[in-house]
Each structure stands twice: as C-alpha cells, then as structure tokens.
Amino acid sequence: MAPTIKARDDVDGCGCLECRNIEATATRRSVLDALVWSVRLFRSYPSIVVFAGVIILANRLLETDAINVLPMPAISVFEILTGFAFIILIRAYVGTIVAGELTGNPVTRREGLRRSIARTPALVGVIIFTVVSVLTIPFLLVLPLLVLVGMIPGNPVDLLGFPVVAAVGGIAFAVPFLFLLFKIWFALEACVIGQYGPLKSFRVSWRITTNYRGKFFLIGVIVIGSALSLFLPTYVPGMGTSLAPLNPVLSIISSSVSELLSIVWASAYAHIYVQGVVS
C-alpha cells in the first residue's frame, strides 16, 4: 500500500523518523541533492518516464496539423485530458513513488496509479482553490492602490510616465502573487502524500514554507527552474537564422525536454514536502 506521510501533529503515536522508516540522510538533502536523487529515481522507476513520455507525445500531436482531422469538441476534450494528466496525475504519481522510496516501502505502478486516481477529486479542489487564491487575493490587495490612483487629479501616466505606473502596478500585484504561490506550492504533495483535504493541504504547505530554513533560496530555485522550463521551448528554436530549417525539430525537442524536466522538479517537490513534515 502506498504510504501516507503526515505532519508530526497529525500522526497517531510516535512520529519520529525511525517509526516512519525515514532515514536521517533524507531529511538533510539540499534542493540540489533532491534533484540529483530524483534523476536517479527515474532509473529505478522507468514507468515514470514511460507515463510522462506518453503524455508528452500526446502534447506534441496536439501541436501538429494531424490533430485537425478530428472534430473540435474531440480536440478540446483531448487537450483537457492531456493537461489534466500532465499537471495533476503525473505529479501525484511521482509524489506517491517518492514517498514509497523515502519510507523504504516501494510503490508498484498499480498502487501509484490507484493513489493518484483516488486523490483526483481533492487535487481538483486544490487546483481550483490555488487559481482563485493567487488571482483574487493579490487583486484585493492592489484595489486600495487603484482607488488611491483614481482619486489623484489628472492622469497618473501623464504625471509619472507609463514605465513608472506600469512598474508600480506590476510590483504591487506580483509580490503578493508570488508570495502566495510559494506558500501553497506544496499543497499538491500534501494532498497526495499526506492525504489531506484541499484546505488542510494549504495549511500544511503554508507551515512547511514558513519553517523551511532555506525558503528564500528555495523560492529562487523554484522561480529560476520554472522560468527556464517555460523559456527553453521558445528560445532554442530561434537561436540563429542558420538553424531556421531545423526550428520545427528543435521546438519539438526543447518542448519535450522542458516537460520532462518538470517531472524531475515534481519529484524534488515531493522530497522537500516529506522533509518539511517530518522535520
């Protein structure tokens, strides 16, 4: 059975590392060590690569003209299913396997898929709550600034200039947006590995990021890694005009590599979640 790893306060009985079968070395790994460990994990569980490869192949097919032979409703359903599988099911599957490895209780493919599917309703709740939170709360925080600007006589753009107004507005929205995104980053892992409900998953994630000593370094790594993963598919094909004939091939390769790297990050997130709840 896939293991469940909860916070110490939520464990019945002793919550020490020995009782949880978690080695102390696992709690001392840095973010970089967790990434290296995740790459090694893929060699032990080729099902992760196979599972991700099928979804990545489906995403590449969606980018070709061949998919246009299907009716539009079928294409939309296909896109929703591949997006759901990649964003939710893969991360849940990888998180379950990571929990099994860190507790010395290896998880089979069937157990991993079973846990992922069983947690799907709660994961959907986490995703919905995440989207609503990171979009609504920053807007509500910026709203007083917008009201204040509206009370100023004259056009703020004419008074201060468009770059200044755009920078102030962007920072006012981006800072709480990124802060909230970081604080609830491990809610998916809490939902799958800890089997918490959506709201409890957010509270656990908030506590992990508050207590994590390397949180400032961690958020930097997360932002840089995620940005590179998103930027790579658009940058590589346009590196030089001499490679123009190869741009379609480079685009396919870079997009696939970017998505595969996101699976490595998912494994690292699961590892960091376990470190946070058992520390």
Side-chain angles (χ1 to χ4, degrees):
M1 181 179 295
T4 298
I5 305 178
K6 293 181 177 290
R8 282 179 176 267
D9 297 339
D10 300 324
V11 175
D12 294 332
C14 182
C16 69
L17 297 180
E18 184 177 356
C19 293
R20 297 184 184 215
N21 295 324
I22 298 176
E23 295 183 1
T25 54
T27 64
R28 292 195 293 265
R29 289 193 182 104
S30 64
V31 175
L32 180 58
D33 292 334
L35 286 171
V36 175
W37 181 88
S38 299
V39 174
R40 295 172 180 170
L41 181 69
F42 284 14
R43 292 186 298 179
S44 303
Y45 288 88
S47 62
I48 298 176
V49 180
V50 173
F51 192 8
V54 171
I55 301 176
I56 291 173
L57 178 60
N59 287 336
R60 299 293 78 79
L61 290 175
L62 287 171
E63 298 170 359
T64 64
D65 295 332
I67 195 68
N68 293 330
V69 300
L70 298 176
M72 184 56 65
I75 296 176
S76 299
V77 171
F78 194 40
E79 290 176 341
I80 293 173
L81 290 177
T82 54
F84 175 81
F86 192 80
I87 296 174
I88 297 182
L89 290 184
I90 277 284
R91 190 163 172 178
Y93 181 71
V94 171
T96 304
I97 290 178
V98 169
E101 284 295 299
L102 293 179
T103 57
N105 183 24
V107 177
T108 64
R109 291 189 298 271
R110 179 178 298 180
E111 291 171 339
L113 289 173
R114 184 182 301 165
R115 169 66 66 85
S116 302
I117 295 173
R119 301 302 299 165
T120 294
L123 286 169
V124 172
V126 170
I127 294 296
I128 293 174
F129 197 82
T130 298
V131 174
V132 172
S133 298
V134 299
L135 293 180
T136 303
I137 295 178
F139 174 76
L140 294 177
L141 294 176
V142 174
L143 190 58
L145 177 62
L146 297 177
V147 174
L148 179 62
V149 170
M151 296 174 60
I152 298 177
N155 191 337
V157 176
D158 296 334
L159 296 175
L160 303 176
F162 177 76
V164 174
V165 174
V168 172
I171 293 174
F173 183 84
V175 170
F177 175 85
L178 292 176
F179 176 76
L180 282 172
L181 192 63
F182 168 67
K183 296 298 292 183
I184 62 181
W185 195 263
F186 301 103
L188 282 174
E189 282 68 34
C191 182
V192 176
I193 302 175
Q195 298 201 67
Y196 290 108
L199 294 180
K200 181 64 175 179
S201 296
F202 281 100
R203 288 197 291 268
V204 171
S205 177
W206 194 282
R207 186 164 63 245
I208 291 174
T209 51
T210 300
N211 297 333
Y212 199 83
R213 295 181 179 178
K215 60 184 177 181
F216 295 109
F217 172 74
L218 175 60
I219 193 173
V221 171
I222 288 175
V223 171
I224 293 174
S226 301
L228 289 177
S229 297
L230 294 174
F231 184 65
L232 184 63
T234 58
Y235 174 75
V236 172
M239 286 190 299
T241 56
S242 60
L243 298 177
L246 298 177
N247 279 354
V249 176
L250 291 175
S251 178
I252 292 174
I253 295 175
S254 60
S255 298
S256 301
V257 170
S258 173
E259 291 172 352
L260 189 59
L261 286 176
S262 67
I263 308 302
V264 179
W265 280 103
S267 177
Y269 300 150
H271 194 296
I272 295 170
Y273 161 79
V274 174
Q275 288 178 321
V277 296
V278 302
S279 297

